[in-house]
Amino acid sequence: MKTVILDGYGMNPGDMSWKPLEDLVELTIYDRTAPDEILSRCQGAEGVLTNKVVLTGDIIRQLPELRYIGILATGINVVDIEAATECGITVTNIPAYSTESVAQMVFAHLLTIVTRVEHYTEENRNGRWCKSADFVYWDHPLQELFGKKFGIIGLGNIGRAVARIATAFGMKVFAFTSKSPDELPEGVSKLEIDEIFSTCDVVSLHCPLNDSTYHLVNKKRLDMMKPSAIIINTGRGQLVDDDALAEALNSGKIYAAGLDVLSTEPPRADNPLLYARNCFVTPHIAWATKEARERLQQIAVDNLKSFIEGHTRNQVNRPIQ
């Protein structure tokens, strides 16, 4: 089965072997694919694997031999699912491969904000502690997480993992979710979304991006928050109105933000969140631990192998009856 990977570098920059996939199909790997290269590179392929390269309906309809699209991520918005279904193409994704890694990044950001370990390490390398008149110094507020209110928007796999860790820190955990109260993990209480924003000390985003969640974090909700509040976003950049969040940070309406995603990636050089007060930004790496990427590849192999054998795993579309 002739198969093309359109953007392999993001998943595997060279620290893993492609052999599990190469043993399964006739594989061509491209590190990156520009929009004007997609069609030519996919011509004649029966399978296409993509992480962030967008497969539009127009492109899909020009690939008559294509039978399988494997999305190398959980989110499926990079593929026109309706067009693929119309063309009889199976589409799969990779669920739950990075749950623990993303939950870990939530608290990497939160601990960075409340303890500033990197800041003090750098200050001490520059000799500041050696020159201190006292045995101790600090120039940022140091905060304890115990007893703080932690709000989670979306209680899927990652949201539940984050809730477990927040509970272990002794935080009071609340969630905005469609789940009923008796489905919630122990120690998690249900709140409406505006109650989360108005009462919680930390708000962490773990919901999918769709029409109803686009700019979920906007000026109205930021105005509801405590001036000491912290926002964490390891979900999707467009859940947040960049300009509104930057204004809230710079004006002191809220205290800080930890972001692993931005509205466009890579971001424009003038994105205001790159320079906002108390805004900590990582380059969409929460999912990218080697352990998570190895799981991703194994699930991709299992998905493709199942398709070849005549059944499917993790299919996100269904054939038209």
Side-chain angles (χ1 to χ4, degrees), residues 157-198:
N157 291 321
I158 295 172
R160 292 172 79 94
V162 168
R164 184 187 74 237
I165 300 170
T167 300
F169 271 106
M171 304 183 80
K172 300 171 183 176
V173 183
F174 302 90
F176 173 70
T177 174
S178 60
K179 294 179 173 61
S180 63
D182 59 0
E183 295 178 284
L184 302 184
E186 184 177 356
V188 179
S189 302
K190 187 170 180 175
L191 283 180
E192 292 302 315
I193 189 166
D194 287 346
E195 291 180 281
I196 295 272
F197 279 90
S198 62

Side-chain angles (χ1 to χ4, degrees), residues 56-312:
T56 64
D58 181 57
I59 288 171
I60 289 169
R61 294 184 186 97
Q62 296 181 69
L63 299 171
E65 296 179 60
L66 186 59
R67 299 187 293 123
Y68 176 85
I69 298 172
I71 302 171
L72 299 174
T74 302
I76 62 175
N77 56 309
V78 296
V79 173
D80 186 326
I81 301 296
E82 183 177 345
T85 304
E86 289 172 359
C87 295
I89 299 167
T90 295
V91 183
T92 65
N93 74 335
I94 314 287
Y97 72 94
S98 63
T99 299
E100 300 301 332
S101 294
V102 176
Q104 176 177 296
M105 180 62 83
V106 170
F107 287 89
H109 271 286
L110 183 54
L111 291 169
T112 292
I113 290 166
V114 300
T115 62
R116 306 293 177 103
V117 169
E118 186 172 0
H119 164 74
Y120 289 109
T121 298
E122 189 61 28
E123 288 289 284
N124 293 341
R125 284 177 178 151
N126 293 330
R128 183 172 176 186
W129 196 11
C130 299
K131 300 170 186 174
S132 175
D134 304 294
F135 79 97
V136 63
Y137 72 90
W138 63 87
D139 50 17
H140 289 280
L142 300 172
Q143 301 179 50
E144 185 175 81
L145 296 181
F146 183 86
K148 296 286 196 303
K149 293 181 178 180
F150 192 105
I152 299 172
I153 308 297
L155 205 61
N157 291 321
I158 295 172
R160 292 172 79 94
V162 168
R164 184 187 74 237
I165 300 170
T167 300
F169 271 106
M171 304 183 80
K172 300 171 183 176
V173 183
F174 302 90
F176 173 70
T177 174
S178 60
K179 294 179 173 61
S180 63
D182 59 0
E183 295 178 284
L184 302 184
E186 184 177 356
V188 179
S189 302
K190 187 170 180 175
L191 283 180
E192 292 302 315
I193 189 166
D194 287 346
E195 291 180 281
I196 295 272
F197 279 90
S198 62
T199 65
C200 286
D201 301 290
V202 181
V203 177
S204 191
L205 308 181
H206 302 288
C207 55
L209 175 64
N210 53 44
D211 289 344
S212 66
T213 61
Y214 177 80
H215 283 188
L216 176 83
V217 178
N218 51 38
K219 184 180 186 304
K220 176 185 174 183
R221 290 205 171 102
L222 289 163
D223 286 345
M224 297 176 184
M225 300 184 79
K226 302 176 181 180
S228 58
I230 298 166
I231 285 181
I232 308 290
N233 187 14
T234 56
R236 292 289 181 267
Q238 291 178 333
L239 297 172
V240 173
D241 180 332
D242 291 355
D243 292 330
L245 178 55
E247 192 279 330
L249 291 165
N250 290 330
S251 67
K253 288 180 183 176
I254 69 168
Y255 177 60
L259 311 173
D260 188 56
V261 289
L262 292 175
S263 56
T264 58
E265 296 173 349
R268 303 185 320 273
D270 63 351
N271 186 305
L273 291 173
L274 296 175
Y275 313 101
R277 168 187 169 274
N278 285 349
C279 191
F280 300 83
V281 182
T282 48
H284 203 148
I285 55 172
W287 66 280
T289 63
K290 189 173 183 183
E291 293 86 351
R293 290 183 291 111
E294 287 173 341
R295 282 193 293 271
L296 188 158
Q297 184 181 64
Q298 186 56 58
I299 297 169
V301 169
D302 293 343
N303 286 352
L304 187 51
K305 186 172 185 290
S306 295
F307 173 77
I308 292 169
E309 291 173 348
H311 53 96
T312 58

